[in-house]
Amino acid sequence: MQFAKKPFTIHKADLPFYLIAIVCFFPIVSSPIALILGFTLASLGLIPAKLNLAGFTKKLLAYSIIGLGFGINLNEAITASKQGLGIIVSSIFFTLILGTILTRLFKLDVKTGHLIASGTAICGGSAIAAVAPAINARDDQTSLALATVFVLNSIALFVFPALGHLFEMSQHAFGTWAAIAIHDTSSVVGAAGAYGDEALKTATTLKLARALWIIPIAFLSALMFKGDSKKIAVPYFIVFYCLAIAIAHYLPQFSDLYNLVFSASKRLLVVCLFLIGSGITVQKLRASGAKPLVLGVLLWVAIGGSSLTYILMG
């Protein structure tokens, strides 16, 4: 006996969400504006109730990043990764150590503090999502860390490009700074994309090289908190991103297609930022509280300020 599948229907109340999502595919909407539009709809309660927003955004972001790989030059990626290895490693451990010290000073919940530090050190929500099960963090601890990081990510989209122009940073310098100092990959790409294509390529390459540290940091975290190292989530999209770079390098005859995929992926990332904004509500911002947010800001200022000084003086 076969059952007919129910057709997909869009309720009138959900139309603004889907229409704005479509508009975000066009160049008239920038990354920061997309985030604001999403947040506005979330605040007005205009997000489709049946939509698995977090899961859908995660998948769409992964596909977008893989698509960006087709626009990255392999030799430039290797050079950028080698040049940025020192600052990547030092900034990660500097942030984690400082986070541990500040967590104790503020008498903040240890696991919440470690999650915020991990998100700041590596790649925001992805790092938190990977480390949380490894240290057996509770849902409220994970949510608090995610809310803190999302607030700072939203601010970064506006602040970083403005500061980059203020300090007259080159495309390469800004891309490096964004990859080091901004939490989530989506916000790194959004801010760097607003600054320029060269900044976007540099930032994407370095940020994903940084994201590879999710695995060893999650493993070390499991040992520190006597958690379960078997629950570590492996970011497989990074492997496919590297594969996309290799394909573009060894099969250059399809360069026109690669350029098309790269351009489409950039627009898809703007849609991702709209979806991320749609998941941020006033309630979540209030739930982040004072101490976690202060910890997040101090860590962010420390890593952002020190890396900016290093880059400008280098």
Side-chain angles (χ1 to χ4, degrees):
M1 185 176 180
Q2 293 182 345
F3 295 93
K5 293 183 178 179
K6 292 182 180 179
F8 176 75
T9 56
I10 298 177
H11 298 286
K12 288 184 179 180
D14 299 336
L15 277 176
F17 175 85
Y18 290 109
L19 288 174
I20 293 176
I22 293 171
V23 172
C24 287
F25 276 103
F26 298 92
I28 56 172
V29 180
S30 63
S31 299
I33 296 301
L35 191 79
I36 291 174
L37 288 172
F39 175 71
T40 302
L41 289 183
S43 300
L44 295 173
L46 297 176
I47 308 301
K50 294 183 179 180
L51 181 64
N52 181 8
L53 198 61
F56 184 66
T57 304
K58 185 178 180 180
K59 289 182 179 179
L60 204 62
L61 180 60
Y63 297 147
S64 303
I65 291 170
I66 293 169
L68 288 178
F70 288 101
I72 306 295
N73 181 279
L74 178 61
N75 295 324
E76 291 178 0
I78 293 172
T79 301
S81 297
K82 285 182 178 178
Q83 291 176 346
L85 182 61
I87 191 172
I88 287 174
V89 176
S90 58
S91 62
I92 287 174
F93 285 98
F94 166 72
T95 306
L96 289 172
I97 292 170
L98 181 60
T100 301
I101 295 171
L102 291 177
T103 297
R104 291 179 178 176
L105 286 175
F106 293 161
K107 296 181 179 179
L108 184 65
D109 176 76
V110 179
K111 288 187 178 180
T112 301
H114 183 72
L115 289 174
I116 293 172
S118 298
T120 307
I122 310 173
C123 56
S126 299
I128 292 171
V131 172
I135 65 173
N136 296 321
R138 299 191 309 270
D139 287 344
D140 62 304
Q141 294 168 327
T142 305
S143 298
L144 203 54
L146 287 170
T148 301
V149 166
F150 282 157
V151 170
L152 301 181
N153 269 323
S154 304
I155 296 171
L157 276 172
F158 297 90
V159 172
F160 272 67
L163 289 176
H165 289 299
L166 178 65
F167 292 112
E168 298 180 346
M169 299 178 74
S170 67
Q171 292 279 315
H172 178 76
F174 181 82
T176 302
W177 185 43
I180 297 299
I182 301 178
H183 308 75
D184 274 335
T185 303
S186 57
S187 293
V188 170
V189 174
Y195 204 78
D197 279 353
E198 187 63 31
L200 173 63
K201 292 177 181 179
T202 300
T204 304
T205 301
L206 289 180
K207 189 61 180 179
L208 293 181
R210 188 182 186 86
L212 289 172
W213 283 84
I214 286 178
I215 300 170
I217 294 302
F219 182 74
L220 288 173
S221 299
L223 294 178
M224 287 170 56
F225 288 87
K226 297 180 180 179
D228 189 354
S229 60
K230 294 180 181 179
K231 292 183 178 179
I232 295 171
V234 180
Y236 289 108
F237 71 89
I238 299 176
V239 177
F240 290 107
Y241 168 81
C242 295
L243 181 61
I245 296 175
I247 291 172
H249 179 76
Y250 291 109
L251 297 173
Q253 61 267 37
F254 302 109
S255 59
D256 290 341
L257 176 61
Y258 302 148
N259 290 332
L260 184 63
V261 173
F262 180 73
S263 298
S265 297
K266 286 197 296 181
R267 294 313 310 170
L268 196 57
L269 277 163
V270 176
V271 178
C272 287
L273 288 167
F274 165 70
L275 295 175
I276 289 170
S278 300
I280 302 173
T281 62
V282 175
Q283 288 79 10
K284 286 185 179 180
L285 298 182
R286 288 175 178 171
S288 61
K291 285 186 178 181
L293 191 58
V294 170
L295 172 63
V297 170
L298 289 177
L299 289 176
W300 192 34
V301 170
I303 188 62
S306 59
S307 58
L308 177 62
T309 303
Y310 175 83
I311 292 167
L312 293 178
M313 294 181 64

